[in-house]
């Protein structure tokens, strides 16, 4: 029995993101109908959180609340109980436009609480914007998922919780394998898990691996008692030679990793209970 075998594992599917295109992989869902169809297939394969970005008519990332509204409605219609998590990430908009979809009251939204380097740019999350986004999430009853790209972000999440800027039990996801940011290193992973436990006790946490590190991080998280993120946003391949045929295929692989770790895949009701969300 592994450390995490006693409780179910949540699988989050990051369906689109801001960067992958159909030229990279034809399976990347770009339009809202494509996204709904892809999410439904991933839901059937075991995903219980849909992490969502939207694109404009040219396929470019946007924070357009109307597109988010149509996507949210479609997922709620076709994937009963699935947790809808909308992205407030910086590639889709600037300033407070990044939170323009929060009045839609999704179950969750991503919240990056600090800045870091990306491959070709600085991912800017200034304190005043982070505070505003967190305030909007409190106003509309949206649970934040803390996206930690650096050790300081985990400590910042603790400080924000202590100040009442994050309500309820925090949910931290650390992202590994982004060039110029946190490496996908097992010693670093173990230290981050220990840090989350030190700062947040037995609060649930998640890990995401970028590119070729996706399955690796899925395995580490499953074995260590955490939750898993997969999907075409982070990785478009099954292996070096093979493009992923769908988000559902990546979810199915993650579900197999969960089973190998001696755990079950969380149902929508179990995922909501773990995260303290309304049924």
């Amino acid at each position: 029995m592994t450390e995490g075998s006693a409780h179910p594992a949540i699988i989050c599917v990051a369906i689109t993101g801001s960067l992958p295109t159909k030229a990279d992989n034809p399976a990347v869902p770009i339009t809202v109908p494509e996204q709904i169809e892809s999410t439904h297939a991933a839901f059937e394969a075991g995903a219980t959180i849909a992490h969502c970005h939207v694109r404009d008519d040219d396929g470019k990332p946007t924070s357009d609340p109307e597109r988010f509204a149509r996507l949210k409605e479609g997922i709620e219609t076709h994937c009963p109980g699935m947790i809808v998590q909308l992205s407030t990430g910086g590639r889709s908009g600037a300033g407070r436009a990044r939170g323009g979809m929060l009045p839609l009251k999704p179950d969750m939204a991503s919240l990056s609480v600090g800045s870091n380097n990306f491959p070709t740019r600085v991912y800017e999350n200034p304190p005043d914007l982070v505070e505003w986004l967190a305030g909007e999430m409190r106003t509309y009853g949206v649970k934040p998922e803390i996206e930690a790209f650096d050790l300081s972000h985990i400590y910042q999440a603790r400080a924000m919780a202590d100040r009442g800027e994050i309500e309820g039990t925090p949910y931290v996801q650390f992202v590994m394998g982004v060039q110029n940011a946190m490496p996908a290193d097992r010693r670093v992973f173990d230290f981050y898990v220990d840090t989350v436990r030190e700062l947040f006790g037995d609060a649930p946490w998640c890990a995401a691996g970028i590119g070729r590190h996706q399955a690796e991080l899925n395995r580490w998280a499953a074995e260590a008692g955490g939750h898993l993120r997969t999907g075409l946003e982070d990785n478009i391949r099954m292996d070096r030679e093979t493009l992923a045929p769908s988000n559902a295929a990546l979810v199915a692989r993650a579900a197999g990793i969960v089973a190998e770790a001696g755990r079950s895949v969380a149902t929508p009701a179990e995922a909501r209970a773990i995260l303290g969300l309304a049924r």
Side-chain angles (χ1 to χ4, degrees):
M1 301 286 280
T2 60
E3 183 176 356
S5 61
H7 63 278
I10 299 169
I11 298 177
C12 171
V13 59
I15 58 173
T16 301
S18 296
L19 294 180
T21 67
K22 288 191 180 295
D24 300 316
N25 183 332
V28 176
I30 300 297
T31 68
V32 170
E34 288 176 341
Q35 291 179 308
I36 294 168
E37 181 178 0
S38 184
T39 303
H40 180 252
F43 176 70
E44 299 260 304
T48 48
I49 299 177
H51 176 77
C52 304
H53 294 246
V54 290
R55 305 285 184 93
D56 64 18
D57 289 339
D58 295 322
K60 301 293 179 60
T62 177
S63 293
D64 181 3
E66 188 274 332
R67 291 176 188 265
F68 271 119
R70 287 193 284 124
L71 178 56
K72 176 177 178 287
E73 180 182 9
I75 293 173
E76 291 171 344
T77 298
H78 296 284
C79 308
M82 193 176 200
I83 296 164
V84 178
Q85 181 188 102
L86 304 185
S87 173
T88 67
R91 285 193 176 107
S92 301
R96 294 189 176 189
R98 288 169 51 178
M101 78 298 292
L102 295 175
L104 298 173
K105 300 182 178 180
D107 299 296
M108 300 181 73
S110 60
L111 179 64
S112 297
V113 298
S115 301
N116 62 278
N117 286 341
F118 273 179
T120 60
R121 54 168 287 195
V122 176
Y123 183 25
E124 294 186 32
N125 293 288
D128 58 342
L129 177 60
V130 173
E131 182 179 349
W132 180 82
L133 287 169
E136 290 291 280
M137 292 182 196
R138 293 195 307 275
T139 295
Y140 296 108
V142 180
K143 184 179 183 69
E145 177 188 79
I146 307 301
E147 291 191 336
F149 294 88
D150 181 82
L151 176 63
S152 64
H153 300 171
I154 302 176
Y155 282 91
Q156 177 65 7
R158 178 69 268 173
M160 292 178 69
D162 291 342
R163 295 194 296 264
E165 295 170 2
I166 298 171
E167 296 180 337
T169 303
Y171 186 55
V172 176
Q173 172 182 270
F174 36 95
V175 185
M176 307 188 79
V178 176
Q179 184 182 347
N180 298 331
M182 191 191 313
D185 181 283
R186 185 58 194 254
R187 294 169 301 170
V188 175
F189 172 86
D190 290 339
F191 182 77
Y192 275 73
V193 173
D194 289 343
T195 301
V196 168
R197 289 174 177 159
E198 177 186 351
L199 296 179
F200 298 106
D202 61 356
W205 55 272
C206 180
I210 304 304
R212 63 186 177 86
H213 301 292
Q214 186 172 81
E216 183 177 41
L217 264 292
N218 285 169
R219 187 165 290 106
W220 293 354
E223 292 173 350
H227 304 286
L228 291 67
R229 169 163 147 160
T230 190
L232 291 167
E233 171 178 350
D234 300 337
N235 166 51
I236 60 171
R237 297 183 176 276
M238 301 301 294
D239 55 48
R240 182 175 293 183
E241 290 78 29
T242 312
L243 290 175
S246 63
N247 275 305
L250 295 171
V251 171
R253 181 174 69 179
I257 291 170
V258 169
E260 290 171 6
R263 298 172 66 185
S264 62
V265 174
T267 66
E270 288 172 333
R272 287 179 176 275
I274 291 166
L275 296 174
L277 296 171
R279 303 268 176 158

